[in-house]
Amino acid sequence: MTDNLPARREADIDEVSTGPMLDLLVIGGGATGAGAALDAAARGLDVALVEAGDLASGTSGKSSRLLHGGVRYLEQFRFGLVREALHERGLLHDLAPHLVRRLTFLYPLTHRMWERGYVGAGLALYDGLAGMGDRGGFRRHRHLSRRALLRAAPPLRPDAAVGALAYDDGQVDDARLVVTLARTARREGATVLTRVRVTGLATRSGHTAATCEDAFSGERFVIRARRVLLATGPWSELTQRLVGGPAVRMRASKGVHLVVPRDRLPMSDALIARTSSSVLFVIPADDVVLVGTTDTPWENGPGPVLPTGADVRYLLDQAGRWLRVPLTMDDVTGVYAGLRPLVDPGAGDDGETQSVSREHVVREVADGCFVVAGGKLTTYRVMARDAVSAAVRGLRVPRNVSTETLGLAGSSGFTQAWARRDLAAVRAGVPVSVVERLAGRYGSDYRAVLAYGAQDPSLLEPVPGAPSLLGAEVVYTARHEFALTVDDVLGRRSRSGLAVRDGGAAAAPHVARLLAATLGMAPTWEAEQVAGHVEAAEVMAAALATGSDAELAPLLERMRHAA
């Protein structure tokens, strides 16, 4: 889709509010919601997706950025879940080869005999569940000596382990995946609207009327649809209340990650290790390394999620058990926190979140209104398929099309575009490393980003304060990827705000200026955007001085106003 999205937005709102009744309205712009919009559009249904914030602004933009079966679920005997996730891991590698990368994980061993056999047996089962025909070049597990482990991961302490097992899993930029799903859904005919909040749902005469409010204009309008799908992750209980009491109850678990420069932890492979209450990941991701994660109940209600100083200290301590030179807060350029949307198993459990299933449920919670909840990023496509199939049962479905064979935006011609990256770099006058980074974000569409440089060469220069972001990317994400704010660009379309110590505050004025010109916004809007971004960075700094989630309440209120 090459149309100018800012210019189309008002027309899209007019069309969904005054045009024919939709077949399906999807509420929620995470991976499952965007996947559902794509699934429904591919079947030829009239579908719209509305999101109160930005695409991937919640759970789907704050994960460990992994596509994996979940080794730890083997101990819980959830073999079906693991097999399904491993299948989806390989499938997505085919559908979006520019987004999915194979990543080797090192599992360090601290006992010489029994542990190697125990973990090795589990990984052999993991390999078997993936199947002989596993896509994506994911290799079977390997045994490493201590010397081989230290060669693979030089930052590790020599005495930290007696050896390791190595296995492959997948890596994906979660937010970019969601944006790509939304772009693909639009390509297939879906309407996608961000910054549109649903404030009411009313079922009448065989359809549901959704009262909506546009955060940009303040305009209120109604969307009518034969079916409604709630894909609102950890806030599913809240949105279910729009149509009655929650039939599916949720439990939110907070996961926190630290962002560390790659030169501080020069690793090509990832580390995975057990902790007393979660799993430790040390994951290289482009120019940074992610250190996570926590797994603690979150009870601060809907809205933004913040880490605490206690969360950070926990992760620094856990990582320090393995590293030659322990990390300190001075090594951390960014911190982010998100929520896992866990389906509450019901009364009688111990209130902990670590053992709650990641399987998903689909349920009709009111006449014509369905909720999809639970699950994990890796299985978003299955969740979307199951939810749409349940929601549209009884409707006329024009096409029997599966998203299992539908390449995502940027995948068409990617192999050829990647092979020509050297020539593209010469023509654009940029280093080939820049073209490779663009290809990893936009796939074959990187050429459209570079094309802006032919009109204005300054757009191919890095944004001041964000060296990994070109001005052309700001314009492109606004015109083609639904970016409407500075945070949309720095926090999700790129990860530039996490890779610099000021959270992107220095880059915000330049990004705001480019966005204002592209979106047709006034200078006062620019100033508000910059002020809001700086305020959010200050709130994050204050949150890292707290000792518990209970101390976050005033900061969460400030963050809501800054958003």
Side-chain angles (χ1 to χ4, degrees), residues 409-429:
S411 65
S412 179
F414 175 67
T415 301
Q416 295 82 357
W418 177 258
R420 295 172 65 84
R421 64 192 184 280
D422 291 320
L423 179 59
V426 171
R427 288 177 173 173

Side-chain angles (χ1 to χ4, degrees), residues 482-498:
F482 314 97
L484 294 174
T485 72
V486 167
D487 189 49
D488 293 355
V489 175
L490 293 178
R492 287 170 291 279
R493 304 308 182 279
S494 73
R495 300 297 188 159
S496 303
L498 286 170

Side-chain angles (χ1 to χ4, degrees), residues 20-334:
M21 184 185 302
L22 297 172
D23 293 314
L24 179 67
L25 173 64
V26 179
I27 301 174
T32 306
L38 171 57
D39 187 290
R43 302 190 201 197
L45 297 165
D46 292 327
V47 57
L49 180 152
V50 295
E51 159 61 41
D54 181 31
L55 297 169
S57 56
T59 295
S60 295
K62 297 182 175 69
S63 74
S64 299
R65 307 185 199 173
L66 298 179
L67 288 172
H68 64 139
V71 171
R72 64 174 171 161
Y73 300 129
L74 294 176
E75 288 188 310
Q76 300 169 10
F77 303 106
R78 291 172 178 153
F79 303 135
L81 174 65
V82 175
R83 181 188 296 110
E84 179 180 75
L86 289 171
H87 171 78
E88 293 300 309
R89 177 192 72 177
L91 177 62
L92 189 58
H93 183 276
D94 290 350
L95 300 180
H98 56 298
L99 295 178
V100 178
R101 297 165 180 81
R102 178 176 59 80
L103 183 64
T104 295
F105 281 79
L106 305 172
Y107 186 101
L109 303 171
T110 56
H111 299 85
R112 292 191 177 278
M113 297 297 294
W114 70 266
E115 190 179 19
R116 188 178 289 275
Y118 178 74
V119 178
L123 289 177
L125 176 58
Y126 199 64
D127 293 338
L129 291 173
M132 293 295 292
D134 189 21
R135 300 158 155 147
F138 296 100
R139 299 168 298 178
R140 294 182 174 274
H141 78 280
R142 291 86 66 198
H143 288 259
L144 302 181
S145 66
R146 181 170 64 177
R147 183 174 299 178
L149 170 63
L150 295 176
R151 282 199 304 268
L156 295 190
R157 279 180 26 223
D159 62 344
V162 298
L165 282 97
Y167 68 97
D168 289 357
D169 249 325
Q171 183 177 47
V172 68
D173 185 323
D174 49 9
R176 288 223 54 86
L177 172 61
V178 176
V179 170
T180 302
L181 288 169
R183 287 188 60 210
T184 311
R186 184 171 175 84
R187 182 192 73 192
E188 297 298 314
T191 300
V192 178
L193 292 168
T194 62
R195 299 297 193 283
V196 170
R197 181 180 298 277
V198 175
T199 59
L201 290 172
T203 300
R204 58 189 72 166
S205 304
H207 73 273
T208 299
T211 302
C212 305
E213 183 174 347
D214 179 13
F216 262 46
S217 66
E219 176 188 359
R220 294 175 67 86
F221 55 92
V222 174
I223 300 176
R224 296 177 305 124
R226 294 178 177 86
R227 302 286 192 274
V228 172
L229 176 63
L230 306 177
T232 48
W235 313 131
S236 294
E237 280 195 40
L238 186 67
T239 50
Q240 286 176 78
R241 291 193 184 105
L242 295 174
V243 291
V248 177
R249 296 191 176 275
M250 304 299 297
R251 184 177 298 178
S253 165
K254 185 172 73 166
V256 176
H257 293 79
L258 313 181
V259 182
V260 178
R262 187 74 169 267
D263 56 9
R264 176 60 180 84
L265 288 177
M267 297 172 59
S268 297
D269 297 338
L271 177 76
I272 178 173
R274 294 175 181 269
T275 73
S276 59
S277 60
S278 63
V279 174
L280 174 70
F281 289 120
V282 181
I283 304 171
D286 297 322
D287 296 332
V288 300
V289 176
L290 309 179
V291 179
T293 179
T294 62
D295 191 345
T296 56
W298 175 258
E299 298 175 351
N300 275 321
V305 182
L306 290 171
T308 66
D311 294 326
V312 173
R313 288 190 294 274
Y314 168 80
L315 291 173
L316 292 175
D317 289 345
Q318 293 301 322
R321 295 172 50 209
W322 301 98
L323 300 176
R324 290 176 186 260
V325 181
L327 296 171
T328 70
M329 192 60 204
D330 291 339
D331 296 313
V332 177
T333 62

Side-chain angles (χ1 to χ4, degrees), residues 257-456:
H257 293 79
L258 313 181
V259 182
V260 178
R262 187 74 169 267
D263 56 9
R264 176 60 180 84
L265 288 177
M267 297 172 59
S268 297
D269 297 338
L271 177 76
I272 178 173
R274 294 175 181 269
T275 73
S276 59
S277 60
S278 63
V279 174
L280 174 70
F281 289 120
V282 181
I283 304 171
D286 297 322
D287 296 332
V288 300
V289 176
L290 309 179
V291 179
T293 179
T294 62
D295 191 345
T296 56
W298 175 258
E299 298 175 351
N300 275 321
V305 182
L306 290 171
T308 66
D311 294 326
V312 173
R313 288 190 294 274
Y314 168 80
L315 291 173
L316 292 175
D317 289 345
Q318 293 301 322
R321 295 172 50 209
W322 301 98
L323 300 176
R324 290 176 186 260
V325 181
L327 296 171
T328 70
M329 192 60 204
D330 291 339
D331 296 313
V332 177
T333 62
V335 184
Y336 63 91
L339 298 180
R340 302 174 187 87
L342 307 176
V343 177
D344 194 326
D349 62 283
D350 59 7
E352 295 299 320
T353 57
Q354 294 91 344
S355 61
V356 178
S357 174
R358 300 304 301 274
E359 294 173 329
H360 67 275
V361 299
V362 179
R363 190 169 300 168
E364 187 171 15
V365 293
D367 186 22
C369 184
F370 294 76
V371 62
V372 54
K376 49 191 279 189
L377 179 71
T378 307
T379 56
Y380 81 86
R381 195 195 64 84
V382 176
M383 295 172 64
R385 178 200 66 198
D386 292 351
V388 172
S389 294
V392 303
R393 192 172 292 122
L395 298 183
R396 187 185 71 85
V397 179
R399 297 192 293 268
N400 182 23
V401 174
S402 171
T403 53
E404 193 162 354
T405 58
L406 198 62
L408 302 188
S411 65
S412 179
F414 175 67
T415 301
Q416 295 82 357
W418 177 258
R420 295 172 65 84
R421 64 192 184 280
D422 291 320
L423 179 59
V426 171
R427 288 177 173 173
V430 299
V432 68
S433 60
V434 170
V435 177
E436 290 174 347
R437 178 174 54 75
L438 294 177
R441 287 180 180 172
Y442 309 100
S444 55
D445 293 333
Y446 78 78
R447 295 167 294 192
V449 179
L450 292 174
Y452 286 112
Q455 306 165 26
D456 181 356

